[in-house]
Amino acid sequence: MKQFILTALFLFSIYTCQAQDSIPAVQHNDSVKVENKQASGNDANELATVAYNEGRFKDAIAILETARKEGLEKGVESSVLYYNLGNAYFRTNDMGNARLNYERAALLDPGDRDIKHNIEYMLTKIEDKILVADTFFLHTWFRAAQNLLSSNGWAILSVVSFLLLIGSLVLFFFSRNVFAKKTAFYIGLFALILVVFGNIFTFKQKDKIEHRQTAVIMSGTAPILSSPDINSKELFTLHPGTKVYVTKEDRSWLEIEIDNGHIGWVQREKLEII
């Protein structure tokens, strides 16, 4: 029995390590910030920080956009850079680009409190005030737990929890002390739960990054129609900074859903994928 359990754990460890290796590389430099943060030694970010602090927000945007494009060419994204861009765009009252960059930052680092705070504050400034449709409380809790860490964070926690589980099993099987066995059992059970949910959250966060199905309205006004046809009935209108969920594609049209559950079609040029 012991050999079977240890063999199963060994195979699971290989699976967990492979899961961690499959996570896309995300460059996260906590020292590179624009607002209420310290600047790093990187020339571009230092220049952007100086421009931002002097009120030259458009200059800061130009510098950071150049850095963003250079990073994308190398296959690297930074939640901090997106956060900085969001701040700079917000200062120029460009709610579309501000929301877009804040949401991209949140996608890479969902647990960051500054990002969450700025998104919540920005929601008070955009034109569309959309109430969120009621959702099952367990789904809300599950999503909130998932967003506590990034995909890399959950992967690291899974590996650490797995090592703790191995240690607990060794202590449980080979210790003769009853108290030690009980302690090892409960710690191992807790570690097992963390391993299972850590892997689930890792792959869900990874899937959100690789298959981006949310977007932000960028156009001044975006009419939402009943079908992918310019002559179809207009259902409602959205404005810059509103986040939508993309559900279907049809040529140059996207079917979108908003937080209150309403669905319609919009021209692709009116929004940008997060």
Side-chain angles (χ1 to χ4, degrees), residues 8-9 12-13 15-16 19 142 145-146 151 153-165 187-205:
L9 288 172
F12 187 76
S13 67
Y15 166 78
T16 303
F142 187 85
Q146 175 184 313
S151 57
W154 282 117
I156 293 171
L157 181 62
S158 297
V159 172
V160 172
S161 300
F162 180 76
L163 294 176
L164 181 62
L165 175 60
I187 292 176
L189 182 61
F190 178 69
L192 178 61
I193 293 172
L194 286 180
V195 169
V196 172
F197 280 97
N199 276 276
I200 292 173
F201 292 155
T202 294
F203 282 105
K204 282 190 170 293
Q205 295 286 37

Side-chain angles (χ1 to χ4, degrees), residues 25-198:
V26 177
Q27 189 179 64
H28 192 301
N29 185 351
D30 288 332
S31 64
V32 183
K33 303 289 184 179
V34 166
E35 194 172 49
N36 298 323
K37 312 289 179 180
Q38 293 181 349
S40 74
N42 181 276
D43 291 341
N45 286 291
E46 286 185 350
L47 289 173
T49 302
V50 171
Y52 185 91
N53 291 334
E54 291 178 354
R56 295 183 289 111
F57 304 121
K58 291 184 178 180
D59 291 341
I61 289 170
I63 295 167
L64 292 170
E65 283 288 4
T66 299
R68 180 186 68 85
K69 292 175 182 177
E70 291 175 353
L72 289 177
E73 289 175 358
K74 299 175 183 177
V76 176
E77 292 184 274
S78 167
S79 64
V80 175
L81 187 145
Y82 285 134
Y83 172 81
N84 295 343
L85 266 173
N87 284 340
Y89 275 118
F90 184 83
R91 292 296 187 180
T92 64
N93 204 36
D94 186 342
M95 296 303 170
N97 276 303
R99 181 72 183 275
L100 178 68
N101 284 284
Y102 282 147
E103 291 290 346
R104 284 174 173 172
L107 186 65
L108 298 177
D109 190 3
D112 189 286
R113 293 183 180 181
D114 290 338
I115 298 171
K116 290 179 180 179
H117 171 78
N118 284 10
I119 291 176
E120 291 173 359
Y121 180 73
M122 209 198 80
L123 290 177
T124 66
K125 302 297 182 181
I126 62 176
E127 186 168 347
D128 299 322
K129 305 292 191 269
I130 301 172
L131 298 177
V132 179
D134 291 335
T135 56
F136 187 47
F137 72 97
L138 287 179
H139 179 264
T140 302
W141 289 355
F142 187 85
R143 185 170 57 186
Q146 175 184 313
N147 289 335
L148 289 174
L149 297 173
S150 65
S151 57
N152 286 338
W154 282 117
I156 293 171
L157 181 62
S158 297
V159 172
V160 172
S161 300
F162 180 76
L163 294 176
L164 181 62
L165 175 60
I166 293 292
S168 299
L169 286 173
V170 170
L171 183 62
F172 179 81
F173 283 121
F174 297 104
S175 175
R176 295 183 179 180
N177 185 286
V178 176
F179 177 76
K181 280 181 173 290
K182 287 183 178 180
T183 303
F185 174 79
Y186 289 113
I187 292 176
L189 182 61
F190 178 69
L192 178 61
I193 293 172
L194 286 180
V195 169
V196 172
F197 280 97

